[in-house]
């Protein structure tokens, strides 16, 4: 609100950074104003939702001081968008890609002046190039080499041999996970869970992954629930192959994916590709990673799989209130979100029958997925954790872990809604008969 | 609608379930029940909803316009827009509530430009799903592309409500533009052909400029969008007026088939109307009229047969949708009968399990899409908000109220002058799709 008032006080010239009602774009706040101008890390007193008069004045001052630079940023953004169009580049959201660069350009050069066109062109091409070398194409080329494939295959075989399946059961890890989840989902910041830290230190994630290799059962306290929760379609995960192709539509369960398929998913998502290692390095690391417990190297990420599994088995998207062992605060938070989603879907006329309907076709299949929500949840979760593992981004504390667990739940809901929308669109897509034939 | 929508209104801010904060307005004001029950005081088609950053907003479609009810599940994210939608007092009350203030408080909500735009966006999404297009009722369908582009414009206008977290299905401006850009050319033609300073011309230009700005800021490009930009740069040469009804004409001007009866023979023993419950099938399949479902029971020798005819929606697909009729005789188990498309009808015929002695069978017929039907527990309570009444009678009254609402809107849309003096920039007038439909509707 303070930002908004100060923004309006800056006057015209900020249109390309503002929305139609004059407020700054959400990404302007998120990518420019907060991290580059307010910098709450340096000024923790400005990080609160509600500020006292002194902080308000200070925040207001910071933004006003930056007025000229913001106006220049806006001009650079307009120029970069024009340049991008001229170059025929359409990938990515220009706000995500250019906002920070525009602010840097404004800081360095002020408003665009003579020669700015060339600078803009260089920046747009540079941003487009950062991802180069980290593409599916490059992966394909890299793995096309027959000698290299043989070497990788031998490496996978050796790493798989060296595994150490744990005969012990994973129920202890799962019980601990329930305690940790009890500390999640509640409002407020009191999520400093020592249990989470001790789970990571004691290696409960790795233990669970090794138990998966031994076909442990009964881990989730419910006979219908497989220990792997759909992370593999087999009884126990098999040794990953190198692979030479992949398609989004036919990706197998996470732990059944080839090395190619695992990296394909990482390279497919366009977000933060510049943080990735180069393709040869990625391949080298993945050979080891894919033979590690749960296909992940970092222990905090493996613990997140256990937490996610414990959360997933208690999800109740259809609101039946049935089954499922002890639900925790985290379950209540996510299930109440499912309830709101179900209510919104009814209001948007995008429902699926909660009860099985043999005539229901694709809609019934979607409802069936809601009856086993853990499969979609674990698949999504694993992909996200794997993406963190390749970027070497562990989950430092429970807050970070909960943000991922909760975010995955929301993604599963978004997926469901998108699939219902697409199924309904297909059903009504058959072309209508022309009018003249309708009239008899 | 006569009420001044700018007047401040009280809302009720209180802790909800599972750490949420609830803002109650209108019928949900201060209700101490689950959020679902508080906002769902009627059938699903009487609610307009919007998924925004950290909250779900709900408006009752049939009530006077006002601030929405909200269930806030992430107060931190919601604080980005709460003050701009409801005003600072409500934002502060939500903050206190999240900080542990246990008691609910009554707070004055301001009327804001953002609240107006958000209500309109939610209503537009509602119209895209529940608009009760019907041939016998004389309610024309809305052009989905035209409505979709206006929703894209409104979504952009409401950008403050969405953040870049990617978990808000209604934060979909790029998807809306990509899906509906086929209508851009017709929209540009309409704009160019509409004489200034008509209200319609102003609304057309506003939508086109917002779509252009939204496409530019999310980086969409393509021939239709380039044409839009060039047209906006070039301005409006005055050309011959066009008829928007013709521009957006879909193949829906059908005359009802004379209805050659299924030659079934036999003796009619009963006939009647079934229930047309909009919640049991998706939009675009069945005509929304109350009497769109009809049935005839016949005696053919010793057999008893039933024929069901369901009036098809004007844009219904010919094939592919396995609609079924659900038939209950004398309160027994419902049986399904598949329906096939014949002319303007979905029709089916089946044997009826009825002994020859029964002369006045009680027959209930409904229509549904298997797998879609959200269903109600037959042994469960009536839908909330309808204590002691048959939910079906209430639902029928609500459907009538919806028809009356859209008729009022179409009449208003046919008289653009009524909105000429509108002082608000938020375009509270009809949606362009309604204006175009009102023009089409005259041919009905």
């Amino acid at each position: 609100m303070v930002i908004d008032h100060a923004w309006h006080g800056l006057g015209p010239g900020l249109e390309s950074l503002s929305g139609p009602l004059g407020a700054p774009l959400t990404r302007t706040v998120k990518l420019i104003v907060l991290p580059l101008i307010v910098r709450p890390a340096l000024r923790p007193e400005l990080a609160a939702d509600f500020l006292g008069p002194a902080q308000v004045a200070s925040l207001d001052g910071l933004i006003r001081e930056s007025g000229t630079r913001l106006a220049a940023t806006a001009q650079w953004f307009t120029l970069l968008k024009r340049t991008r169009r001229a170059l025929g580049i359409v990938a990515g959201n220009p706000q995500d890609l250019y906002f920070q660069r525009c602010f840097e350009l404004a800081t360095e050069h002020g408003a665009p002046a003579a020669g700015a066109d060339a600078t803009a062109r260089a920046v747009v091409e540079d941003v487009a190039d950062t991802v180069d070398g980290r593409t599916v194409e490059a992966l394909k080329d890299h793995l096309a080499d027959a000698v290299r494939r043989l070497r990788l295959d031998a490496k996978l075989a050796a790493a798989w041999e060296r595994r150490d399946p744990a005969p012990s059961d994973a129920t202890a890890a799962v019980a601990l996970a329930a305690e940790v989840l009890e500390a999640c989902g509640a409002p407020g910041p009191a999520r400093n869970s020592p249990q989470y830290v001790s789970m990571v230190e004691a290696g409960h994630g790795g233990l669970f992954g090794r138990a998966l290799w031994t076909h442990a059962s009964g881990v989730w306290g419910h006979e219908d629930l497989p220990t792997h929760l759909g992370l593999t379609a087999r009884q126990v995960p098999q040794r990953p192959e190198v692979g030479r192709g992949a398609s989004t539509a036919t990706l197998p369960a996470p732990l059944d994916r080839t090395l190619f398929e695992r990296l394909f998913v990482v390279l497919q998502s366009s977000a933060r590709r510049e943080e990735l290692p180069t393709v040869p390095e990625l391949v080298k690391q993945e050979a080891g990673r894919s033979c590690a417990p749960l296909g992940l190297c970092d222990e905090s990420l493996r613990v997140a799989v256990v937490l996610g599994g414990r959360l997933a088995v208690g999800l109740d998207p259809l609101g039946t209130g049935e089954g499922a062992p002890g639900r925790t605060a985290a379950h209540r938070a996510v299930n109440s979100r499912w309830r709101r989603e179900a209510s919104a879907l009814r209001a948007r006329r995008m429902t699926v029958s909660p009860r099985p309907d043999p005539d229901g076709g694709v809609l019934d299949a979607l409802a069936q997925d809601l009856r086993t929500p853990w499969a979609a949840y674990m698949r999504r979760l694993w992909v996200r954790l794997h993406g963190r593992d390749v970027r070497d981004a562990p989950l430092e504390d429970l807050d970070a872990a909960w943000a991922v667990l909760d975010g995955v739940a929301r993604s599963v809901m978004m997926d469901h809604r998108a699939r219902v929308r697409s199924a309904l669109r297909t059903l009504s897509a058959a072309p209508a008969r022309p009018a003249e034939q309708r009239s008899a | 609608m006569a009420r001044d929508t700018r007047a401040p209104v009280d809302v009720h801010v209180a802790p909800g379930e599972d750490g949420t904060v609830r803002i109650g307005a209108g019928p949900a004001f201060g209700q101490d029940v689950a959020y679902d029950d508080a906002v769902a005081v009627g059938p699903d088609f009487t609610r307009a909803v919007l998924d925004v950053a950290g909250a779900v907003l709900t408006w009752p479609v049939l009530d006077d316009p006002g601030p929405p009810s909200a269930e806030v599940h992430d107060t931190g994210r919601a604080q980005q827009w709460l003050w701009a939608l409801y005003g600072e007092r409500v934002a502060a009350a939500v903050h206190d509530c999240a900080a542990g203030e246990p008691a609910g408080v009554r707070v004055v909500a301001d009327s804001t430009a953002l609240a107006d735009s958000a209500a309109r966006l939610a209503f537009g999404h509602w119209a895209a799903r529940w608009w009760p297009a019907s041939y016998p009722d004389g309610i024309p369908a809305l052009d989905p592309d035209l409505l979709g582009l206006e929703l894209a414009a409104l979504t952009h206008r409401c950008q403050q409500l969405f953040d870049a977290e990617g978990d808000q299905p209604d934060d979909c401006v790029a998807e809306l533009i990509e899906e509906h850009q086929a209508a851009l050319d017709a929209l540009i033609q309409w704009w160019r052909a509409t004489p200034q300073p008509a209200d319609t011309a102003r609304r057309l230009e506003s939508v086109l400029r917002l779509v252009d700005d939204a496409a530019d800021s999310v980086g969409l490009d393509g021939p239709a969008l380039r044409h839009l930009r060039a047209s906006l740069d070039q301005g409006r040469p005055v050309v011959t007026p066009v008829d928007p009804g013709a521009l957006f004409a879909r193949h829906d001007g059908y005359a009802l088939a004379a209805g050659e009866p299924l030659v079934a023979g036999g003796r009619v023993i009963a006939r009647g109307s079934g229930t047309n419950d909009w919640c049991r099938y998706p939009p675009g399949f069945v005509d929304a009229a109350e009497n769109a479902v009809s049935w005839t029971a016949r005696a053919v020798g010793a057999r008893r047969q039933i024929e069901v005819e369901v009036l098809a929606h004007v844009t219904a697909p010919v094939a592919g949708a396995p609609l079924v009729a659900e038939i209950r005789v004398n309160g027994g188990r419902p049986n399904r009968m598949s329906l096939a498309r014949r002319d303007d009808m979905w029709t089916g015929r089946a044997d009826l399990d009825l002994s020859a002695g029964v002369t006045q069978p009680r027959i209930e017929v409904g229509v549904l899409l298997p797998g879609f039907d959200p269903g109600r527990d037959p042994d469960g309570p009536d839908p909330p908000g309808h204590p002691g009444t048959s939910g079906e009678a209430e639902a029928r009254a609500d459907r009538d109220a919806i028809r009356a609402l859209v008729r009022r809107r179409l009449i208003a849309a046919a008289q653009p002058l009524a909105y000429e003096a509108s002082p608000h920039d938020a375009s509270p007038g009809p949606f362009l799709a309604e204006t175009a439909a009102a023009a089409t509707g005259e041919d009905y």
Side-chain angles (χ1 to χ4, degrees), chain B residues 45 56-57 132 148 155 180 209 266 295 359 364 396:
Chain B
F45 56 79
V56 179
L57 307 177
T155 306
H180 301 292
R209 290 207 181 277
W295 55 269
T359 50
E364 297 163 86
R396 174 186 294 249

Side-chain angles (χ1 to χ4, degrees), chain A residues 3 6-7 10 14 17 28-43 46 58-71 73 103 107:
Chain A
I3 293 174
W7 191 264
L10 293 178
L14 300 171
L17 306 179
T28 302
V29 176
K30 190 174 151 178
L31 300 172
I32 299 177
V33 177
L34 288 178
L36 305 175
I37 296 176
V38 178
R39 294 196 281 179
L42 301 182
R43 306 181 180 90
L46 297 184
S58 145
L59 181 55
D60 191 67
L62 282 171
I63 291 170
R64 279 175 206 279
E65 276 164 28
S66 309
T68 318
R69 192 183 297 181
L70 283 167
T73 306
F103 191 79
T107 307

Side-chain angles (χ1 to χ4, degrees), chain B residues 369-427:
Chain B
L369 180 68
F372 179 89
D373 182 16
R376 294 231 182 259
D377 186 352
D379 305 321
D382 277 329
H386 299 153
T389 63
S390 138
E392 183 40 42
E394 290 278 340
R396 174 186 294 249
D398 284 325
R399 287 193 291 270
D400 278 339
I402 294 288
R403 292 184 189 101
L405 167 74
V406 305
R407 284 205 180 93
R408 283 198 304 275
R409 291 187 63 97
L410 285 169
I411 289 168
Q415 301 164 330
L417 282 179
Y419 289 97
E420 190 81 70
S422 164
H424 309 312
D425 191 35
S427 307

Side-chain angles (χ1 to χ4, degrees), chain A residues 1-2 4-5 15-16 18-21 23-27 30 49-50 77 81-82 84-86 88-96 185-188 332-333 335-337 339-341 343-355 357-361 363-364 367 410-411 414 417 420-421 424-425 427-440, chain B residues 17-20 35-36 44 47 49-51 56 71 73 75-77 79-80 83 88 91-92 95 113-114 117 125 129-130 156-157 159-160 162-170 179 210 213 216-219 221 226 229 251 254-255 257-258 278-279 281-283 285 313-322 336 341-344 369-374 376-378:
Chain A
M1 183 171 69
V2 181
D4 196 67
H5 285 173
E15 287 78 8
S16 71
S18 307
L21 293 171
L25 292 167
T26 20
R27 280 186 174 81
K30 190 174 151 178
D49 281 334
F50 280 82
F77 185 54
K81 280 191 294 187
R82 198 163 62 223
R84 162 190 161 97
R85 256 200 307 276
I89 296 171
V90 286
N93 182 315
Q95 300 172 35
D96 288 338
R332 289 191 292 278
N335 284 335
S336 91
R337 202 191 294 274
R339 224 168 27 246
R340 283 189 294 279
E341 174 70 1
S343 164
L345 285 174
R346 285 200 313 277
R348 286 286 174 83
R349 214 175 180 180
M350 298 206 289
T351 45
V352 295
S353 304
R355 267 167 293 194
D357 188 330
D359 306 330
L363 292 173
D364 191 51
R410 285 180 273 144
S411 297
M414 291 281 283
R417 192 188 278 223
V420 173
R421 178 182 288 122
L424 293 179
R425 190 175 292 152
L427 277 174
S428 54
R433 252 179 307 181
E436 50 278 12
Q437 287 178 21
R438 287 174 161 236
S439 325
Chain B
E17 295 173 309
D18 302 317
T20 61
Y35 182 75
D36 277 8
D44 294 330
R47 274 183 298 144
V49 298
L50 209 53
D51 275 280
V56 179
E71 184 161 31
H73 52 82
T75 48
R77 288 169 68 190
Q79 285 299 350
Q80 297 162 32
W83 63 273
E88 295 176 31
H95 177 76
L114 183 59
S117 296
H125 278 297
R129 306 301 296 170
W130 296 106
H156 185 47
R157 220 185 146 78
Q159 60 92 20
Q160 264 178 295
F162 306 107
D163 60 25
E165 295 298 318
D167 64 349
Q168 305 132 76
D170 292 330
E179 186 178 347
L210 283 166
D213 188 46
D216 180 52
S217 67
V218 299
D221 199 9
R226 289 188 177 215
R229 167 147 307 183
H251 300 294
Y254 69 57
W278 301 340
C279 299
Y281 53 82
F285 287 88
H313 188 270
V314 286
T315 63
V318 177
R336 282 182 181 179
R341 187 67 181 278
R342 188 179 65 97
D343 297 324
D344 303 323
L369 180 68
F372 179 89
D373 182 16
R376 294 231 182 259
D377 186 352

Side-chain angles (χ1 to χ4, degrees), chain B residues 293-351:
Chain B
V293 182
S294 55
W295 55 269
T296 308
R298 294 171 197 273
V300 186
R303 289 165 71 196
R304 298 289 176 268
Q305 285 193 326
I306 185 166
E307 287 157 24
V308 174
E309 290 188 321
V310 179
L311 194 53
H313 188 270
V314 286
T315 63
V318 177
L323 282 184
V324 302
E326 192 181 75
I327 302 163
R328 287 176 83 174
V329 180
N330 295 327
R333 280 184 58 81
N335 282 309
R336 282 182 181 179
M337 168 170 88
S338 60
L339 297 174
R341 187 67 181 278
R342 188 179 65 97
D343 297 324
D344 303 323
M345 302 280 187
W346 303 95
T347 62
R349 184 198 302 166
D351 282 342

Side-chain angles (χ1 to χ4, degrees), chain A residues 91-436:
Chain A
N93 182 315
Q95 300 172 35
D96 288 338
L97 293 174
Y98 306 139
F99 265 0
Q100 194 175 337
R101 300 295 281 262
C102 288
F103 191 79
E104 288 163 12
L105 287 168
T107 307
E108 191 179 335
H109 304 285
D117 285 348
T119 313
R121 197 187 165 97
V123 170
V124 170
E125 284 176 340
D126 180 47
V127 170
D129 282 347
T130 356
V131 298
D132 263 6
R134 298 181 180 90
T135 62
V136 175
E137 267 319 297
L139 177 67
K140 213 170 236 164
D141 291 348
H142 185 74
L143 291 182
D145 183 318
V147 179
R148 187 174 285 141
R149 291 178 64 83
L150 275 176
R151 266 207 314 270
L152 268 173
D153 199 62
K155 204 171 157 188
L156 284 169
W160 195 255
E161 272 311 303
R162 279 197 306 274
R163 285 173 314 136
D164 175 20
S168 71
D169 75 324
T171 33
V174 172
L176 279 172
E179 286 178 37
V180 173
L181 289 173
E182 195 56 59
C184 295
R191 285 203 280 269
N192 200 356
S193 164
Q195 288 104 321
Y196 174 72
V197 178
S198 64
M199 273 186 86
V200 176
E201 280 168 359
H204 279 288
L207 202 72
F208 174 75
R210 283 154 64 204
L212 262 196
W213 286 331
T214 62
H215 190 215
S217 62
V219 170
W220 304 114
H222 200 292
E223 283 187 8
D224 296 346
L225 296 168
T227 304
H228 55 67
L229 293 180
L231 286 174
T232 171
R234 306 200 173 90
Q235 286 208 329
V236 293
Q238 304 292 302
R239 201 210 92 184
E241 302 290 326
V242 179
R244 51 173 79 236
S247 117
T248 324
T250 58
L251 280 174
L255 298 181
D256 301 339
R257 290 177 189 173
T258 63
L259 193 140
F260 186 100
E261 285 166 333
R262 292 173 198 225
L263 293 176
F264 166 82
V265 174
V266 172
L267 293 168
Q268 269 263 305
S269 93
S270 59
R272 307 197 334 269
R273 250 191 281 185
E274 69 282 359
E275 293 172 13
L276 292 174
T278 59
V279 164
E281 186 61 23
L282 264 178
V283 170
K284 196 171 129 213
Q285 293 175 3
E286 192 63 30
R289 180 181 296 117
S290 62
C291 297
L294 299 171
L296 302 168
C297 290
D298 180 85
E299 181 56 27
S300 70
L301 302 175
R302 293 179 197 153
V303 166
V305 173
V306 184
L307 295 178
R310 183 63 184 77
L311 178 62
V313 297
L315 293 182
D316 184 20
L318 293 167
T320 61
E322 287 167 8
R327 297 206 165 102
T328 63
H331 291 99
R332 289 191 292 278
V334 174
N335 284 335
S336 91
R337 202 191 294 274
W338 267 113
R339 224 168 27 246
R340 283 189 294 279
E341 174 70 1
S343 164
L345 285 174
R346 285 200 313 277
R348 286 286 174 83
R349 214 175 180 180
M350 298 206 289
T351 45
V352 295
S353 304
R355 267 167 293 194
D357 188 330
D359 306 330
V362 61
L363 292 173
D364 191 51
L366 294 180
Q368 174 56 36
D369 288 349
L370 293 186
R371 276 175 228 120
T372 54
W374 36 267
Y377 184 90
M378 293 308 282
R379 210 172 151 112
R380 268 256 176 206
L381 175 65
W382 187 88
V383 169
R384 202 163 293 188
L385 297 173
H386 182 250
R388 290 188 80 101
D389 211 26
V390 295
R391 287 179 176 81
D392 200 12
L395 292 164
E396 303 288 1
D397 53 30
L398 184 54
D399 255 343
W402 172 242
V404 169
L405 295 173
D406 187 37
V408 169
R410 285 180 273 144
S411 297
V412 172
M413 284 174 218
M414 291 281 283
D415 285 350
H416 172 73
R417 192 188 278 223
R419 290 167 71 199
V420 173
R421 178 182 288 122
S422 142
L424 293 179
R425 190 175 292 152
T426 309
L427 277 174
S428 54
R433 252 179 307 181
E436 50 278 12

